[in-house]
Amino acid sequence: MAANDLTIVILAAGKGTRLKSDVAKVLHRAGGRPLVEHVVRACLPLAKNILVVVGHQAEDVRNAVAPLGASTVLQRPQSGTGHAMFIARAAIDANARLAIVLPGDAPLTRTETLQALLDAHRSGRAAATILTAHLDNPAGYGRIVRKPDGSVAAIVEDKSASAAEREIREVNSSIYCFSLEKLWPCLAELRPDNAHRELYLTDTIAMLNKRGERVLAVEAADARETFGCNTRAELAEIDRAFRARKAAALMDAGVTIYLPETVLIDPDVEIAHDTIIEPGVQLLGATRIGSRCTIQAGSILANATLADNVLVRQHSVITSSVLGSGAIVGPFAHLREGSELRPGARVGNFVEVKKSVLGEGVKAMHLTYLGDATVGRDTNIGAGTITCNYDGVKKNPTRIGERVFVGSDSALVAPITVGDGAYIAAGSTVTEDIPADALAIARGRQINKPGWAAARRAKSSESKSAAAKTSEPHRNSAKKLVERARRKSSPRAQKSSRH
Ligand code: UD1
Ligand code: MG
């Protein structure tokens, strides 16, 4: 439950030099969201007031966090984490007594972990409590210097650590809980006497000690939760951790995922139990999948809604479309935005559907384009059918009724309406509306010329034997060709060919 005396401060003004990017660090995406959005979401259940310190690409960072209800304060120039907190002070609610401070680049932190930090801080009556982790390779992180009683004496930054301090494997996550009335006087005393000429928030820990205040440390249950993202390699690692978390949660909820390390599922995706996800699948955005569906290998679904018992065969791409129960799609099908397959409809190999509604039991199994079309129930769309929906200026609708049979390789030039129960002969180019139950044939009439092919063959073999008599034998001409090729590929010839 959100506490009233608590405020959250997220430090997100830094550039992130080590990412070598034009995009501010906290806006890089992992696990389907910008880094800073993960941090804000983890804090939402804890406090009403969430303040984000912005600087680099301030406007873009503000746009990323404002929809979640966080407010922002501008830090310019960015003179260190201590300076960021100093700037935040002016924007912090006067009622706040405690602040959880987090970096905008540590997105794996969970609400439960922050709650545990807060509880430890309150029950330990500390001035500051630090979330720490033990790392095999602590290089680059600030080290936690503990006192004999287990409380914290200081945080020593990597660059200013002694050889002995560098051996310490317990590191500062940059996630803290501060009692604000204790912090403010220390902030005012910070000096930029370090390699970066910055004000370090970490220096306040030794200052609190000097004032006789208690500083505690809580170790994160899972060290990965404290991972900061400073390089592209770390970004990939963090993305992997998020994807694994999402896959694990879905499997817990009764979804089968084969080779879960190969699938990519965004955080908002919902999947009901007994659905099967095969290797290499991507489920993106607000995709929702019902029960007993199978999404076969290599398929990509973005903002798709699937009812129960839907089968998506290999390598299909489905965007912003709705599939009714029992629908079957693919392999190699492309459902573009605004498509709807009613229950039991089937779309097969190399079929593209855009902004079209296919009624119950409709079949379009091979090599077809349906754009801006409505197709009535139980209609069969033959192989190679194309709706010619674009006239070079605007898109035009195609209306096909129920139980229609569209013969293979038909072109339907829109706007056009085909009545219920009509037949279209294969190979037709339909330019006029077809009444219900009619047969439309719109193609050149076939003419058979008896014996024509045999006569042609006879004629061509006569002229061939005449030619053989007059020209030199094939064997000789082949010999000549081989000799010419050999001359060309000789080293001397190659040299001269360069000129
Ligand atoms: C910081 C800590 C270090 C800790 C590590 C954990 C300091 C001095 N060091 O180092 O002890 O082990 O995090 O990841 O705090 N920021 C601002 N304004 C600024 C500078 C930074 O908002 O002027 C923000 C950054 O955007 C970032 C966070 O503060 O989100 C931390 O800054 P960063 O430069 O990543 O610090 P580290 O070198 O990682
Ligand atoms: Mg960092």
Side-chain angles (χ1 to χ4, degrees):
M1 222 222 289
N4 282 329
D5 61 345
L6 177 68
T7 195
I8 308 276
V9 181
I10 298 170
L11 309 183
K15 183 164 187 264
T17 313
R18 285 164 284 178
L19 282 174
K20 300 189 176 69
S21 174
D22 295 333
V23 178
K25 171 159 74 174
V26 298
L27 292 178
H28 280 262
R29 298 175 77 89
R33 289 179 177 141
L35 299 177
V36 69
E37 186 179 329
H38 288 288
V39 181
V40 173
R41 281 177 183 271
C43 295
L44 281 175
L46 298 172
K48 283 205 287 285
N49 295 316
I50 298 177
L51 181 65
V52 183
V53 181
V54 296
H56 270 282
Q57 299 192 348
E59 205 47 44
D60 293 334
V61 179
R62 190 174 293 137
N63 290 338
V65 300
L68 299 163
S71 54
T72 55
V73 61
L74 186 66
Q75 182 200 15
R76 205 166 266 168
Q78 293 84 35
S79 306
T81 47
H83 179 246
M85 198 57 200
F86 194 80
I87 296 290
R89 184 178 182 179
I92 286 177
D93 190 283
N95 296 324
R97 288 179 48 253
L98 297 177
I100 293 179
V101 180
L102 318 86
D105 68 341
L108 286 164
T109 319
R110 288 177 312 161
T111 307
E112 298 89 311
T113 306
L114 297 175
Q115 184 66 57
L117 176 73
L118 184 62
D119 293 345
H121 182 83
R122 284 189 201 273
S123 64
R125 297 177 188 282
T129 305
I130 308 163
L131 185 70
T132 69
H134 277 87
L135 300 184
D136 290 338
N137 177 15
Y141 285 88
R143 308 296 206 286
I144 302 294
V145 182
R146 296 246 191 187
K147 292 201 270 196
D149 70 354
S151 66
V152 180
I155 298 173
V156 184
E157 287 305 308
D158 191 68
K159 284 215 169 95
S160 37
S162 66
E165 285 163 342
R166 285 218 176 92
E167 292 298 309
I168 300 173
R169 286 175 43 229
E170 187 177 22
V171 302
N172 170 28
S173 68
S174 248
I175 299 170
Y176 324 81
C177 187
F178 285 108
S179 294
L180 289 171
E181 59 170 1
K182 312 278 189 197
L183 176 68
W184 299 138
C186 297
L187 272 189
E189 283 176 24
L190 283 178
R191 297 288 172 265
D193 41 13
N194 52 59
H196 288 115
R197 310 295 306 150
E198 289 185 348
L199 300 180
Y200 284 170
L201 183 58
T202 46
D203 287 348
T204 60
I205 301 303
M207 289 176 174
L208 286 167
N209 265 288
K210 241 187 219 162
R211 290 163 175 261
E213 302 292 350
R214 251 160 86 77
V215 178
L216 298 176
V218 172
E219 195 184 334
D222 180 354
R224 280 182 314 175
E225 277 195 54
T226 67
F227 279 2
C229 179
N230 297 302
T231 63
R232 303 275 178 168
E234 285 169 358
L235 188 69
E237 210 46 58
I238 285 168
D239 184 65
R240 189 198 309 276
F242 271 118
R243 304 302 182 183
R245 238 186 224 180
K246 179 70 182 179
L250 289 168
M251 289 190 283
D252 273 352
V255 177
T256 294
I257 307 181
Y258 294 114
L259 297 185
E261 63 277 18
T262 67
V263 308
L264 199 142
I265 306 180
D266 275 356
D268 292 334
V269 170
E270 290 173 14
I271 310 177
H273 68 278
D274 287 329
T275 278
I276 298 171
I277 310 295
E278 290 191 355
V281 164
Q282 294 190 19
L283 305 173
L284 309 174
T287 292
R288 285 185 188 13
I289 301 177
S291 201
R292 297 177 303 282
C293 296
T294 299
I295 315 299
Q296 290 188 340
S299 292
I300 302 175
L301 279 60
N303 300 313
T305 304
L306 278 57
D308 298 337
N309 296 307
V310 173
L311 171 60
V312 178
R313 293 212 167 107
Q314 297 89 338
H315 299 283
S316 296
V317 176
I318 303 176
T319 307
S320 303
S321 294
V322 176
L323 280 66
S325 64
I328 300 176
V329 167
F332 304 104
H334 188 188
L335 302 189
R336 291 164 54 197
E337 72 284 356
S339 296
E340 183 185 344
L341 267 55
R342 300 261 164 89
R346 295 179 63 175
V347 161
N349 312 255
F350 305 107
V351 173
E352 176 180 347
V353 182
K354 189 217 68 172
K355 269 195 199 155
S356 295
V357 178
L358 277 55
E360 280 183 40
V362 165
K363 283 190 207 161
M365 299 304 284
H366 327 271
L367 302 157
T368 283
Y369 174 59
L370 296 170
D372 304 291
T374 54
V375 183
R377 59 185 302 158
D378 297 324
T379 281
N380 187 84
I381 307 287
T385 297
I386 305 288
T387 54
C388 309
N389 61 329
Y390 186 47
D391 58 15
V393 181
K394 63 179 192 310
K395 305 290 166 63
N396 299 296
T398 299
R399 292 185 199 89
I400 304 174
E402 299 177 359
R403 292 168 283 100
V404 171
F405 181 90
V406 180
S408 295
D409 196 25
S410 294
L412 306 171
V413 182
I416 201 124
T417 301
V418 181
D420 291 345
Y423 259 66
I424 299 173
S428 290
T429 298
V430 180
T431 55
E432 284 166 33
D433 290 354
I434 305 171
D437 298 316
L439 166 67
I441 309 174
R443 64 187 183 209
R445 186 176 274 280
Q446 184 170 332
I447 306 164
N448 290 342
K449 298 189 174 178
W452 183 93
R456 184 174 187 268
R457 273 194 298 275
K459 202 174 168 192
S460 83
S461 73
E462 257 172 38
S463 59
K464 260 188 205 158
S465 58
K469 271 179 203 153
T470 54
S471 72
E472 44 180 334
H474 289 310
R475 242 180 311 128
N476 279 353
S477 60
K479 216 173 181 184
K480 270 188 181 169
L481 280 175
V482 170
E483 269 167 23
R484 204 181 298 155
R486 195 175 295 150
R487 253 182 278 129
K488 263 195 177 168
S489 64
S490 78
R492 271 182 67 191
Q494 275 180 7
K495 228 183 221 172
S496 59
S497 74
R498 272 192 211 135
H499 295 288

